[in-house]
Amino acid sequence: MNATRSALAPTAQIEHQPTLPPTLRRIVLMGFMGAGKTTVGRLLAASLGWEFLDLDAHIEQRAGATVPELFARDGEPKFRRLESSALANALSHNHAVLALGGGTPEQLTNRLLLEQTPGTVVIFLDAPFETLFDRCMLQSFASPEHIRPVLASPEEAQTRFLQRQPHFRRLARHILATGDLTPAETNQSILQLLTTAGTYQR
């Protein structure tokens, strides 16, 4: 898939509800941990008057257990099957903004679902590893519930970051550089992308 790369500087705030292409039914945000997928997703859904879905929360609601509990109880292979089932369900929602888990695109089943579901645009929230790592550490200091065990080893986290990059870039219709943007600025940049003629072709 040929992605458009953007470092759009948010200009004027979009005061009215944006007019999107009529065939666009869902927007998927992906990126590494710390990219702001959930925060930006909520802002974007509010701007559009759409539903917001966080895939990890969607999995937890369907399974009746938290993601760490599911990993500990059932192991990663079963969790990934639950994730694919939850993703397929989430992609059946219309007028929805969906924030993926950082590892979701690693699974072939998930990549096929994202590529083959009509009316879906995938946006990669890109930023340097150092920026994402610092954001995650600040979140951990601010509130213990945001502690991410994978960050105990920065080297392993960076390896995972690099492994996921090809999947992110291949799936994305748009790649948005967010390293220097606030969540509100990222939201405005996405709205500009989606309301610009020719940026959605599915």
Side-chain angles (χ1 to χ4, degrees):
M1 179 181 295
N2 294 324
T4 61
R5 177 179 296 276
S6 176
L8 287 176
T11 52
Q13 294 288 313
I14 297 177
E15 301 289 343
H16 59 283
Q17 193 170 97
T19 301
L20 300 179
T23 55
L24 180 57
R25 299 198 291 274
R26 61 198 66 81
I27 300 164
V28 178
L29 303 181
M30 66 178 179
F32 199 65
M33 64 184 76
K37 301 179 294 291
T38 297
T39 301
V40 173
R42 291 186 189 280
L43 292 172
L44 182 59
S47 297
L48 297 172
W50 283 17
E51 175 186 16
F52 172 72
L53 289 170
D54 178 279
L55 186 60
D56 283 347
H58 195 50
I59 294 168
E60 292 177 343
Q61 182 180 32
R62 287 162 57 89
T66 67
V67 169
E69 288 170 348
L70 291 169
F71 263 94
R73 185 185 72 195
D74 303 323
E76 183 170 2
K78 184 171 182 180
F79 172 79
R80 294 304 176 189
R81 290 194 293 273
L82 291 171
E83 180 183 55
S84 295
S85 176
L87 176 60
N89 177 269
L91 289 173
S92 72
H93 291 229
N94 287 323
H95 299 142
V97 177
L98 173 62
L100 299 184
T104 305
E106 289 186 299
Q107 306 302 309
L108 176 60
T109 299
N110 298 338
R111 296 198 298 273
L112 292 174
L113 283 168
L114 291 164
E115 288 175 336
Q116 297 176 6
T117 302
T120 303
V121 64
V122 181
I123 300 173
F124 171 30
L125 303 185
D126 191 21
F129 174 77
E130 294 75 15
T131 299
L132 299 172
F133 185 86
D134 288 348
R135 286 179 186 171
C136 290
M137 295 307 295
L138 286 171
Q139 289 176 349
S140 298
F141 293 143
S143 55
E145 67 267 22
H146 285 117
I147 292 175
R148 303 173 191 253
V150 68
L151 297 180
S153 169
E155 293 78 13
E156 289 182 13
Q158 186 167 25
T159 297
R160 187 169 298 189
F161 170 83
L162 294 173
Q163 289 173 339
R164 292 175 179 174
Q165 287 292 304
H167 298 311
F168 291 150
R169 295 181 183 281
R170 177 173 176 269
L171 281 171
R173 179 68 184 87
H174 300 292
I175 299 173
L176 183 61
T178 66
D180 296 323
L181 302 181
T182 66
E185 290 170 339
T186 300
N187 178 49
Q188 291 297 316
S189 292
I190 293 172
L191 292 172
Q192 289 177 45
L193 279 173
L194 296 178
T195 54
T196 299
T199 61
Y200 176 69
Q201 300 173 353
R202 182 183 293 183

